[in-house]
Amino acid sequence: MTIRILMKFNHLLAFVVVSLLVFSCQTKKPEESQDPWAFEIKKIEQKTCAGKECVSVDISYPVFGDKKLQSLIERIIVQGMSFEGQPETLSLDSAVQGFIGEYIALKKEFPDAISWEYSMEVRVSYQSDSLLSLAFDSFSFTGGAHP
């Protein structure tokens, strides 16, 4: 009888040990095991016209899961399209609307104002397990002879 109890105990012990080994091998949570450099491309395309003249914004940039990296990318884009005196803490959507709003305000004051344009493409130029390099290509035209 003690042999049967020991055999049942050994089977139970073996089951527990195997179960612990199987479940303890998962050291990372599923969301932590994702590639930190994985990204998707997001595009913002807006165009508003007043008569023949228009204001257009065309932005293409990678969206990463890392919030700090994403915040930095969006901050650089916002700085490129912000006017003097605007807060640099604007969200990307607010900056786009601000750029369009500035053109509409100018067009009301000066009906002969010519079209404005802002475009930026952010692309991954190099990527490895430990290094990420981004290229920012931008163009801005607001009708003036100065940047």
Side-chain angles (χ1 to χ4, degrees), residues 12-146:
L12 180 64
L13 182 62
F15 174 76
V16 169
V17 168
V18 169
S19 297
L20 286 174
L21 286 174
V22 168
F23 291 109
S24 68
C25 288
Q26 298 176 357
T27 56
K28 294 182 178 179
K29 295 178 182 176
E31 62 270 7
E32 291 175 352
S33 64
Q34 294 177 355
D35 181 7
W37 302 124
F39 64 91
E40 294 179 4
I41 298 295
K42 181 175 181 180
K43 294 183 182 250
I44 298 173
E45 296 173 335
Q46 291 193 14
K47 186 174 187 176
T48 301
C49 295
K52 293 187 294 181
E53 303 299 333
C54 300
V55 57
S56 63
V57 176
D58 184 15
I59 302 170
S60 173
Y61 64 101
V63 175
F64 294 89
D66 184 304
K67 292 183 190 259
K68 286 182 182 179
L69 174 60
Q70 198 57 45
S71 175
L72 177 63
I73 292 170
E74 291 180 9
R75 209 168 348 139
I76 292 169
I77 296 170
V78 167
Q79 286 173 351
M81 67 185 315
S82 295
F83 291 98
E84 204 172 304
Q86 286 183 320
E88 291 184 13
T89 57
L90 288 175
S91 70
L92 184 52
D93 290 333
S94 296
V96 168
Q97 295 311 313
F99 186 82
I100 292 170
E102 287 287 331
Y103 177 77
I104 291 170
L106 177 75
K107 193 71 174 161
K108 285 179 184 175
E109 190 174 342
F110 301 101
D112 293 336
I114 59 176
S115 295
W116 282 11
E117 178 182 353
Y118 179 80
S119 64
M120 178 171 287
E121 178 187 13
V122 183
R123 59 185 167 73
V124 176
S125 60
Y126 179 78
Q127 182 176 8
S128 71
D129 290 343
S130 60
L131 183 65
L132 177 68
S133 177
L134 301 172
F136 292 77
D137 295 319
S138 68
F139 173 78
S140 177
F141 181 76
T142 55
H146 52 79

